[in-house]
């Protein structure tokens, strides 16, 4: 059995038994079957994850997972962001402590980067960390737009460990446990869609017992992590985008909107741009050291997905302005698929590094243009 067939057979069999498993249970199932951390490098031919896999096999896993309509992952931050960062910058003790738990699906992580007043501009971080006298740090400040903070067991936090520092100097990459009553408070943020995928996190002397990459080297570690956000997962993301585009096309055909030459041209353009993004992702897969690659990828998919949301409500026509059910004081407003896609995608060009920040990176670090006056 080839690798793609092995992946497809396992996913189909497991989801047939339990189509909607509990998210935490699902993470442990993935870990038990060896599907978390495939391809993580290790020492002497070993791996910190569950199995060794080539880059092509990692792509196959990501694509088949997206095609299977399996549950959204709760462990992707630990697997795709923290783990590669620890492998690149962490000590052997840190790798052995944290990576096996992630690979087993037992530990969930969140990312403490953005702050009020320091969203995409991470160099403006004000969260402070001071030595606590016990070999760790006491962290005080506020983080925002923190995905999965309510469910996470651990958080990696970018904080200022040098009180006299400014901008990118004096930052450190710290690891802290989330279960610290009285020291960490998580507040969900209600969004336009009525859901709360993001959170505010308030830190009041929260203890961080570990620093990755050495004190004061947080900016280097953070920039290395941001480059890891666009990789194999980008191809899997595009499988999801293709499914969303398929739903919009089906809605256009069913309603007759596809007969409108303007709508039809927009549908074709979305398809062509998605195909272009896939070829770009394949061409740059495995690229390291080029700061422009992740920024170009983010610019491409953020704008594309936002335009797809706009197209979805355009296809719906007048119905796109009306909720599927009556709205009452007792019944919060509900959204249909097109409305939810439109509203949620408004943030695509902001979160994960705004378009303005991505263009600055390309201008300054790739094209060598002068920095913006500050």
């Amino acid at each position: 059995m080839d690798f793609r067939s092995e992946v497809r057979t396992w996913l189909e069999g497991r989801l047939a038994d339990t189509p909607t498993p509990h998210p935490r249970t699902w993470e442990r199932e993935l870990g038990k079957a060896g599907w978390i951390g495939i391809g993580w490098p290790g020492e002497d031919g070993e791996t910190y994850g569950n199995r060794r896999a080539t880059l092509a096999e990692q792509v196959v896993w990501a694509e088949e997972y997206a095609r299977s309509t399996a549950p959204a992952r709760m462990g992707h931050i630990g697997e795709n962001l923290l783990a590669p960062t620890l492998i690149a910058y962490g000590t052997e003790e840190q790798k052995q402590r944290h990576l096996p738990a992630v690979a087993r699906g037992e530990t969930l992580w969140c990312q403490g980067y953005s702050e009020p007043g320091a969203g995409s501009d991470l160099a403006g971080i004000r969260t402070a960390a001071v030595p606590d006298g016990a070999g760790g740090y006491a962290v005080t400040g506020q983080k925002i737009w923190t995905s999965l903070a309510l469910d996470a067991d651990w958080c990696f936090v970018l904080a200022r460990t040098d009180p006299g520092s400014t901008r990118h100097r004096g930052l450190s990459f710290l690891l802290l446990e989330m279960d610290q009553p009285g020291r960490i408070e998580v507040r969900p943020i209600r969004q336009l869609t009525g859901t709360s995928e993001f959170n505010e996190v308030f830190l009041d002397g929260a203890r961080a017992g570990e620093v990755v990459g050495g004190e004061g080297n947080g900016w280097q570690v953070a920039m290395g992590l941001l480059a890891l956000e666009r990789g194999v997962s980008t191809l899997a993301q595009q499988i999801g985008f293709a499914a969303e585009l398929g739903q919009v096309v089906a809605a256009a055909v069913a309603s007759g909107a596809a007969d409108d030459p303007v709508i039809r041209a927009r549908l074709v353009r979305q398809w062509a741009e998605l195909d272009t993004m896939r070829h770009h992702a394949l061409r740059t897969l495995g690229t390291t050291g080029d700061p422009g690659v992740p920024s170009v990828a983010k610019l491409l998919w953020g704008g594309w997905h936002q335009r797809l949301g706009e197209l979805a409500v355009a296809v719906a026509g007048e119905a796109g302005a009306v909720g599927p059910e009556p709205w009452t004081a007792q019944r919060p407003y509900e959204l249909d698929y097109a409305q939810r896609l439109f509203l949620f995608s408004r943030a695509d060009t902001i979160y994960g590094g705004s378009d303005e920040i991505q263009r600055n990176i390309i201008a300054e670090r790739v094209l060598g243009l002068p920095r913006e006056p500050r």
Side-chain angles (χ1 to χ4, degrees):
M1 181 182 296
D2 63 24
F3 188 76
R4 188 177 293 275
S5 298
E6 179 187 358
V7 171
R8 189 172 294 174
T9 299
W10 186 86
L11 285 169
E12 290 176 351
R14 183 60 188 82
L15 293 172
D17 293 338
T18 311
T20 56
H22 185 276
R24 273 194 177 267
T25 302
W26 179 243
E27 289 298 323
R28 294 190 180 97
E29 289 285 340
L30 290 171
K32 184 179 179 180
W35 295 119
I36 298 178
I38 66 173
W40 288 350
E43 302 296 330
D44 301 322
E46 297 299 319
T47 175
Y48 292 108
N50 279 306
R51 66 176 80 191
R52 299 195 67 79
T54 65
L55 190 58
E57 288 172 336
Q58 294 172 51
V59 171
V60 167
W61 163 254
E63 290 182 336
E64 290 301 324
Y65 191 91
R67 288 194 181 99
S68 73
T69 65
R73 293 287 308 281
M74 291 186 71
H76 66 92
I77 294 177
E79 179 182 10
N80 298 323
L81 297 183
L82 173 83
T85 302
L86 283 186
I87 290 170
Y89 300 99
T91 65
E92 188 62 28
E93 181 181 359
Q94 289 170 339
K95 297 171 190 176
Q96 294 296 344
R97 178 182 184 187
H98 296 291
L99 297 186
V102 173
R104 291 191 300 267
E106 295 174 355
T107 303
L108 301 179
W109 286 78
C110 61
Q111 177 181 11
Y113 271 24
S114 295
E115 300 181 2
S120 295
D121 183 16
L122 292 178
I125 279 176
R126 290 179 292 180
T127 292
V130 298
D132 64 0
Y137 299 85
V139 186
T140 300
Q142 179 185 353
K143 298 296 180 177
I144 199 167
W145 312 122
T146 310
S147 301
L148 299 176
L150 275 175
D151 301 296
D153 307 297
W154 284 77
C155 183
F156 50 90
V157 173
L158 200 59
R160 196 166 294 282
T161 48
D162 180 353
S165 64
T166 59
R167 302 301 297 163
H168 61 275
R169 293 173 290 275
L171 299 173
S172 296
F173 188 99
L174 307 175
L175 309 181
L176 58 82
E177 291 189 83
M178 291 294 289
D179 186 13
Q180 298 190 43
R183 295 182 177 182
I184 298 180
E185 180 185 358
V186 179
R187 299 179 189 172
I189 300 173
R190 184 176 172 86
Q191 297 143 213
L192 285 173
T193 54
T195 56
S196 301
E197 288 87 353
F198 303 110
N199 304 271
E200 292 179 286
V201 178
F202 296 87
L203 307 166
D204 185 9
R207 186 174 193 278
E210 300 172 72
V211 57
V212 177
E215 184 176 307
N217 296 322
W219 184 255
Q220 177 188 359
V221 178
M223 291 301 99
L225 184 149
L226 288 176
L228 296 169
E229 287 192 274
R230 337 271 192 239
V232 170
S233 59
T234 300
L235 290 166
Q237 178 191 54
Q238 291 167 9
I239 299 294
F241 285 169
E244 290 181 333
L245 176 58
Q247 287 188 257
V248 175
V249 170
V253 172
S255 67
D259 296 332
D260 183 331
V262 175
I263 294 292
R264 190 163 59 246
R266 290 174 66 181
L267 290 169
V268 171
R269 183 180 180 89
Q270 291 289 143
W271 174 86
E273 290 178 348
L274 182 58
D275 196 49
T276 300
M277 284 194 292
R278 174 170 174 76
H279 285 288
H280 172 73
L282 289 170
R283 182 178 64 83
T284 59
L285 192 63
T287 299
T288 59
D290 184 346
V293 169
S295 291
V296 169
K298 176 59 170 61
L299 283 171
L300 288 174
W301 74 253
W304 183 91
H305 200 225
Q306 200 170 81
R307 291 190 295 277
L308 182 66
E310 295 166 355
L311 180 55
V313 293
V315 163
E318 294 178 352
V322 181
E325 299 290 342
W327 300 350
T328 66
Q330 292 73 34
R331 182 172 187 162
Y333 70 88
E334 295 184 12
L335 303 171
D336 62 23
Y337 170 77
Q339 293 164 340
R340 189 174 299 107
L341 175 60
F342 170 73
L343 291 175
F344 193 86
S345 63
R346 304 319 296 167
D348 284 337
T349 53
I350 300 173
Y351 70 77
S354 69
D355 279 9
E356 292 78 8
I357 292 294
Q358 304 303 335
R359 291 190 178 101
N360 279 348
I361 291 173
I362 294 170
E364 296 169 6
R365 301 179 63 188
V366 179
L367 302 178
L369 299 177
R371 292 182 177 273
E372 271 192 293
R374 296 187 183 276

